[in-house]
C-alpha cells in the first residue's frame, strides 16, 4: 500500500513535469501567461482597459479629447515611453520642464499617435478633477498613480485600440 502511494505521487510529479515542459515548448497549459498585452480605450465610457490576451487585467478612468480636439479612433501601438516628459505649449512654444508641478503631462508619457509633428498619448495630469471628462487636446489623461502603474506594465509596440 505504501509503495503504491509513492508510485502515484511519483507519477503525478512526472505528469506535472511533462505539462511544464510542454508549456516551455509552446504547449497550451500556460498560454495565458505569455499572451500579448493590449490597451483598449473607450471614449464613450472614458475608460482604458489593459488586457492580456482576452483577459482584462485592469481598468482605469480617463479623460479624453474635447470637441474639436477629439482623441483619434483606430488601431495604434505604443511608440514612445518617457519618464518626466517636458511639455511644449503648442500655441506659444513655451516649455515646462519634466517633473515641474505645473507640467500638464504629469510624470509619465506613453505616446501612441503622431502626424509627424504632433503627438497623442497617455499621460498624467495636475488636474485630477478632469478625469472622466472630454477636456484634453486629444490626449488621454490619467490619474498620476494610474499612469505610473501602467507605465511599468507596458512596453514599446503594445497595441492601443481606441473605440467610440
Amino acid at each position: 500500500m505504501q509503495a503504491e502511494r509513492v508510485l502515484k505521487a511519483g507519477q503525478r510529479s512526472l505528469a506535472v513535469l511533462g505539462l511544464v515542459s510542454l508549456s516551455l515548448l509552446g504547449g497550451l497549459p500556460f498560454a495565458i501567461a505569455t499572451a500579448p498585452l493590449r490597451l483598449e480605450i473607450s471614449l464613450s465610457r472614458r475608460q482604458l482597459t489593459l488586457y492580456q490576451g482576452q483577459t482584462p487585467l485592469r481598468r482605469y478612468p480617463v479623460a479624453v479629447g474635447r470637441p474639436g480636439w477629439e482623441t483619434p479612433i483606430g488601431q495604434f501601438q505604443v511608440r514612445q515611453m518617457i519618464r518626466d516628459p517636458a511639455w511644449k505649449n503648442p500655441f506659444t512654444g513655451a516649455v515646462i520642464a519634466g517633473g515641474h508641478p505645473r507640467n500638464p503631462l504629469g510624470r509619465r508619457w506613453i505616446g501612441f499617435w503622431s502626424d509627424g509633428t504632433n503627438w497623442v498619448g497617455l499621460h498624467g495630469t495636475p488636474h485630477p478633477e478632469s478625469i472622466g471628462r472630454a477636456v484634453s487636446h486629444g490626449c488621454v489623461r490619467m490619474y498620476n498613480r494610474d499612469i505610473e502603474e501602467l507605465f511599468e506594465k507596458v512596453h514599446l509596440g503594445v497595441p492601443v485600440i481606441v473605440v467610440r
Side-chain angles (χ1 to χ4, degrees):
M1 206 77 158
Q2 182 101 14
E4 201 172 298
R5 269 190 250 148
V6 171
L7 181 60
K8 286 183 181 178
Q11 287 172 337
R12 278 192 291 263
S13 296
L14 287 175
V16 170
L17 180 60
L19 288 175
V20 170
S21 298
L22 279 174
S23 71
L24 293 174
L25 295 173
L28 296 177
F30 299 101
I32 189 74
T34 59
L37 294 174
R38 82 174 189 282
L39 302 174
E40 186 172 305
I41 300 164
S42 169
L43 301 178
S44 62
R45 288 194 316 255
R46 313 276 202 273
Q47 184 177 73
L48 179 149
T49 305
L50 170 65
Y51 287 90
Q52 184 163 29
Q54 297 301 314
T55 305
L57 298 179
R58 182 89 155 80
R59 288 186 171 84
Y60 302 95
V62 299
V64 298
R66 65 183 181 216
W69 294 86
E70 289 85 3
T71 303
I73 294 171
Q75 295 187 17
F76 311 99
Q77 64 180 321
V78 172
R79 297 174 58 195
Q80 285 185 329
M81 294 187 66
I82 304 171
R83 292 177 187 272
D84 292 321
W87 179 74
K88 183 177 181 180
N89 184 309
F91 305 108
T92 67
V95 174
I96 298 178
H100 191 282
R102 287 188 341 199
N103 185 316
L105 301 181
R107 312 260 327 176
R108 300 291 184 272
W109 167 263
I110 301 173
F112 64 84
W113 177 91
S114 177
D115 62 6
T117 304
N118 302 299
W119 279 88
V120 170
L122 305 157
H123 62 79
T125 180
H127 304 289
E129 70 280 359
S130 69
I131 302 301
R133 300 174 49 209
V135 295
S136 77
H137 290 134
C139 284
V140 178
R141 295 181 188 175
M142 299 178 70
Y143 291 118
N144 289 318
R145 68 180 179 273
D146 290 347
I147 188 67
E148 289 176 16
E149 176 182 297
L150 185 64
F151 191 90
E152 297 304 318
K153 294 180 179 189
V154 301
H155 52 81
L156 294 175
V158 167
V160 179
I161 301 162
V162 182
V163 299
R164 285 191 201 293

